Each structure stands twice: as structure tokens, then as C-alpha cells.
Amino acid sequence: MASIIAVKKLDKHFKVRKFHRGRFSGFQSFFTREHHLVRAVDGVNFEIQSGELIGYLGPNGAGKSTTLKMLTGLLVPTGGEINVDGFVPSKQRKEYVSRIGAVFGQRSTLWWDLPVFESFELLRHIYKIPEKLFKKNLDEFRELLELDTFINTPVRSLSLGQRMRADICAALLHDPKILFLDEPTIGLDVVAKERIRQFIQHINQDRGTTVILTTHDLSDVEKLCNRILIIDEGKLLYDGQLEQLRQKFGGKRQLVVDFFENYPEATIEGAEIVEINGARITFEFERDSIAASDLIGRLSSKYRIRDLEVKEPEIEETIRRIYEQQLLK
């Protein structure tokens, strides 16, 4: 199956001017022009198939947004190759933008002083969207994103969550094959986040839209993405399934058991007790040393069990361990 996005040895370097410190630093900085090279993206390779929903993760300054800006044609790469649906974004920008949608969390594509609907109408003319398609898409998105309560409100008067929903709608009115989302849920409350997540899932599953999502909110990734890319210091560290990452670097699992009665000494080989709350005991165990089913078998042979649950480590904890311990380097 041919890739819809192919990135090979992608580089983006910036020259950053050095400023001197000390008593005569102002004069030194004025008369000298020293620079150092920042490798924001450094030799990145990946391919994405049509219809995938990819999580692109990394700490601040890792190179996520820089990569997205090159993929959307906003930045010209220093080196390497990008091919998106047969286009080279930075060289064929006019033809290319009609095939993609992009939402950058901190910047709106809507007109600040115009009502939301009038912004949509302007985009219809800019993208030359057939009226029938425009109406079909807008009617669907109005319902799914619940836009009607503010569709006639000027953009400057919208809340952050309302503006983000309007921006996502605007990015999809022309039926793009690919959607780039940079921090689409940043700063939103729980309800607004969930509404946007459900919509992203809908356009990916029902419309087959390819989605690349950068986010600091790892609950977005857990709920939406099977495959993730992890970048740090400009280098791609991981490309694979979220569950495989959890299994390899997830650390300890927990077994939470509700017994029929209190067992203060309900010890079991292969696990340690980390919490006792009445008849509920939480055990912790290494995923590589023993299977959960074996632990459950040992417990049930000795004690009367009412209910139990196996809990995986939070993905936030797994990613934090990877960064702090440099496990992928």
C-alpha cells in the first residue's frame, strides 16, 4: 500500500545569534555577529498510510511543530525530502493546500471581526468549494461540533473551546484528505476536549481522513491513536504501536482485588502489596516477571475474591520515564 506521507532524512536547522554577557556585552553583541546552529529537526524518517491517525509526541522544543510546519508547507526544509499525496509542500503550495487541512492551537484561520458563518463563506470562495458540498459538510459539522449556538457570533467573542471547534470545522469544509492538528485541545475544559476528540475520531473512521496529531495531553493519544511517533531534540526516537511502547517501557502493573472479607496478610508470591483499604488490596508486579493470570490463579486458590481489575501504568508515567531515563536513546 502506497504511503500518503513519506518523510526521508528531514532536517530543519536555524541559525540563532549569540549574545554576549558582561560589562561590555552590548558593544560586543553589536559589533560581532556570532551564531550557533539549532537542529530543530534532525534526520527524521517516517511513512504514514492513508487513513491512519498518528500521535506525534515530544517535550517542548522537541521539533513537533517544526515538523508539522514543514509538512504543511509553512517552512522550507534545510534538507531531506517530503512527499505528501504526491506533492512537495514547500514547492507546490498553491495546489497543495487545497488537499490538506491544518489547525494550529494558538492561531485561528478565521477572520477576527467577522461572524463564524461569514468566515466559512469566505473560505468557500477561497477554496472554490462547490455549494452542494459546502452545505453538506457544514450541516454535518454544525451538528457534530454543536456550532449553532455561536455560528453568528464574531470570532473575537468566542471562548477558546468554541473557536477551536470553529477552526476544525473551517479546516475540513473543502474535504481535505489529510488533517494536521497541532495541540487542538490545549487549554480546553474536559467537556470541550471530549467533544473535539469524538469529532476527530468520526472524521478519521467515517470519512477516512488521515490525521496527524501533536499534543501534550496524552489522554488525547490514548483515546485516539494506535500508532505514535516520539521526537526529542529533533530526532525521531520511536515509531510504533502505543501498546508496544507501554509493554516495553510501562514499568509495573497493578492488580486491584476486592475480597469477600478482610485479609490483612493476603501476600502472594510475585507481587507486593502497595495499598490496603478494607477488603480491597492493591498489588504491584513486574509485567516481565509474572503474568496477571498467574497472579489471579494464585490468589483465587487461597482467598475468596469478589472482583478484580488489572491496571496498566498511566501513559503519562511511561512517557515521563522514557524522557527522564533516556530509554530510547
Side-chain angles (χ1 to χ4, degrees):
M1 184 177 180
S3 303
I4 196 169
I5 298 175
V7 171
K8 297 180 181 178
K9 298 181 180 178
L10 184 63
D11 293 327
K12 184 60 182 179
H13 303 161
F14 297 98
K15 283 185 178 180
V16 178
R17 187 178 169 190
K18 288 184 179 180
F19 288 92
H20 297 276
R21 295 182 178 181
R23 186 175 180 184
F24 300 106
S25 59
F27 290 102
Q28 287 178 294
S29 296
F30 182 79
F31 287 108
T32 61
R33 292 291 186 271
E34 294 181 64
H35 296 82
H36 68 274
L37 194 66
V38 175
R39 300 177 184 272
V41 175
D42 192 8
V44 165
N45 298 279
F46 60 80
E47 293 188 6
I48 294 173
Q49 307 300 318
S50 180
E52 284 196 274
L53 202 169
I54 304 293
Y56 197 38
L57 309 180
N60 286 331
K64 303 187 304 298
S65 294
T66 302
T67 305
L68 243 63
K69 287 174 181 176
M70 288 189 283
L71 288 172
T72 55
L74 292 173
L75 287 178
V76 179
T78 304
E81 300 176 15
I82 300 176
N83 188 294
V84 183
D85 197 24
F87 292 88
V88 178
S90 61
K91 294 182 179 178
Q92 300 166 283
R93 180 151 175 75
K94 186 175 180 180
E95 303 93 331
Y96 174 64
V97 293
S98 65
R99 309 294 290 272
I100 67 167
V103 177
F104 291 88
Q106 298 300 314
R107 296 185 180 183
S108 179
T109 56
L110 305 173
W111 282 263
W112 198 242
D113 292 314
L114 293 181
V116 173
F117 183 76
E118 291 187 26
S119 284
F120 292 163
E121 281 285 350
L122 280 172
L123 289 169
R124 178 171 73 87
H125 293 290
I126 289 170
Y127 284 106
K128 299 178 181 178
I129 307 170
E131 190 167 350
K132 187 175 180 180
L133 176 64
F134 174 79
K135 185 179 186 306
K136 173 180 173 294
N137 283 341
L138 184 56
D139 287 348
E140 179 181 351
F141 300 157
R142 284 172 74 159
E143 180 180 353
L144 291 171
L145 291 168
E146 299 180 13
L147 303 179
D148 282 349
T149 56
F150 58 87
I151 199 165
N152 293 310
T153 303
V155 173
R156 56 180 159 76
S157 300
L158 301 181
S159 68
L160 180 60
Q162 290 171 334
R163 182 178 63 75
M164 187 57 62
R165 282 145 60 192
D167 271 321
I168 291 175
C169 175
L172 290 163
L173 287 171
H174 58 292
D175 255 1
K177 297 173 69 174
I178 306 165
L179 178 63
F180 298 98
L181 296 172
D182 189 22
E183 302 286 358
T185 62
I186 190 168
L188 303 186
D189 61 42
V190 174
V191 175
K193 283 183 180 182
E194 187 58 31
R195 184 180 289 115
I196 286 175
R197 285 172 187 153
Q198 289 175 357
F199 182 75
I200 293 169
Q201 196 168 50
H202 167 78
I203 58 111
N204 173 251
Q205 293 180 354
D206 290 22
R207 290 181 166 233
T209 307
T210 305
V211 182
I212 300 181
L213 167 71
T214 77
T215 181
H216 280 95
D217 190 338
L218 293 177
S219 58
D220 288 346
V221 175
E222 282 194 293
K223 293 185 177 182
L224 294 172
C225 308
N226 289 322
R227 177 184 168 200
I228 61 170
L229 308 175
I230 297 179
I231 188 172
D232 193 18
E233 297 180 353
K235 294 184 179 294
L236 193 66
L237 304 183
Y238 180 83
D239 178 355
Q241 301 299 308
L242 179 61
E243 185 55 33
Q244 290 176 351
L245 184 79
R246 198 200 298 271
Q247 289 178 3
K248 189 171 183 180
F249 301 108
K252 295 181 179 180
R253 307 168 80 190
Q254 289 187 340
L255 178 64
V256 183
V257 183
D258 290 319
F259 295 98
F260 273 99
E261 55 189 287
N262 293 352
Y263 294 112
E265 299 297 325
T267 56
I268 196 75
E269 184 182 353
E272 60 177 305
I273 296 174
V274 293
E275 185 180 357
I276 298 178
N277 185 9
R280 170 172 288 189
I281 299 180
T282 301
F283 299 88
E284 199 168 68
F285 62 99
E286 295 285 352
R287 66 173 61 248
D288 294 332
S289 63
I290 188 169
S293 57
D294 290 340
L295 274 182
I296 294 167
R298 293 176 187 181
L299 282 168
S300 60
S301 67
K302 296 175 65 176
Y303 308 103
R304 295 174 63 228
I305 295 173
R306 183 190 302 273
D307 197 8
L308 54 83
E309 177 187 8
V310 179
K311 296 177 71 174
E312 297 288 348
E314 295 290 336
I315 188 63
E316 286 91 344
E317 176 66 18
T318 302
I319 299 294
R320 184 187 63 77
R321 286 181 63 246
I322 289 170
Y323 290 143
E324 288 184 354
Q325 301 177 26
Q326 299 185 326
L327 298 178
L328 289 170
K329 295 185 178 180

